[in-house]
Amino acid sequence: MVSLCFLSIIPYISTILAVQVHPVKRNVVSNATCISGYSWMNDSQGYSPCHTVAYVEAACTGNNYDQQALNNGFSYSLPNSSTANECYCSWSSYNLMMACTICQGNTNSAVWEWPQWTSGCTTNLSWTQEYFPSGFVLAGDASIPYWATTDPTTWTYATFNIQDANATYQKNSSSITPSASSSSSGSSSSPSSSSSSSSSKSTDVGAIVGGTIGGVAALSFFAIVAYLLYRRHVYRKGVHASVINPQGMTFMPLSGTHNRIPSDTSNFAPSMSGPLAFYGQSVSPSQQHETAYSSEPQTAYPSLQGSFSPPPRTDVSVYTTHTSNGQRHDAIPMI
């Protein structure tokens, strides 16, 4: 019973080892030779597209494959019900097979269109959605040139184009080495689109984080500027008020019969020929009928002509007197 169970799991163990263990190079050969001028098609190890496509096909045939040279006027066989598999129907198989056709000196008439190639892969159309089949690896040190991982539907007229392939090579001359872990992801895109997707996600996250930080910094900056402007406004308002009324004095119109400006100005200096001089300040003609009031008590008389200065009085009220002609006159009494 135990022996039967062990025998039943042997195929599963073999399958797991075939996927996870790098296969040993066996019999992957090609006698096809490229003419000069197509060395840019070689992989990172210097293998021509004819030799590289042999490694691609061998990954699904037990690492045994012989890529024969192509005679003029002939084309390589399309996949069919007996030869179609994951490797033969992949993007890299088609691109490398067509490149091998051209590099041997054959004309474009020997190149198959991609729809013709996939017509023999109807057994499983998912085989035509990958640049290399998932779960498989290349034998030895072989690799796939970056240009050969291009989705054939993107070529002009969906047909391998040597000019487009060379333009792709000029942008990226590297080679791709598929691994069991990366191939088994089941992605239907080429390494270029996968890398672009990862890069795009990283860029999106970086842009979001950068935008958030930038927004917070901008709001903080505007808040600080607004606060400084407000403080400046308050400060200038206070300075402006102190300049207009430095001693807290206001001018009010006369409403009574007292507190008028004395009519006898002979004792005040300077002369009244210009704007009235009142308590050491200039009073314009429009202000001649106004009296200055101060929030603080006056402690001294205005300056008088001569050297005589009256002593301070506790009662500085203005007395009303009459002149010889009977006119009323308000004046500060002299001592």
Side-chain angles (χ1 to χ4, degrees), residues 122-146:
T122 55
T123 303
N124 192 335
L125 291 177
S126 64
W127 294 343
T128 65
Q129 302 300 314
E130 298 177 307
Y131 83 97
F132 187 77
S134 302
F136 292 85
V137 293
L138 296 178
D141 54 359
S143 59
I144 301 175
Y146 182 81

Side-chain angles (χ1 to χ4, degrees), residues 218-231:
L219 289 176
S220 301
F221 173 76
F222 286 124
I224 293 173
V225 171
Y227 175 74
L228 293 177
L229 291 175
Y230 171 75
R231 291 294 303 272

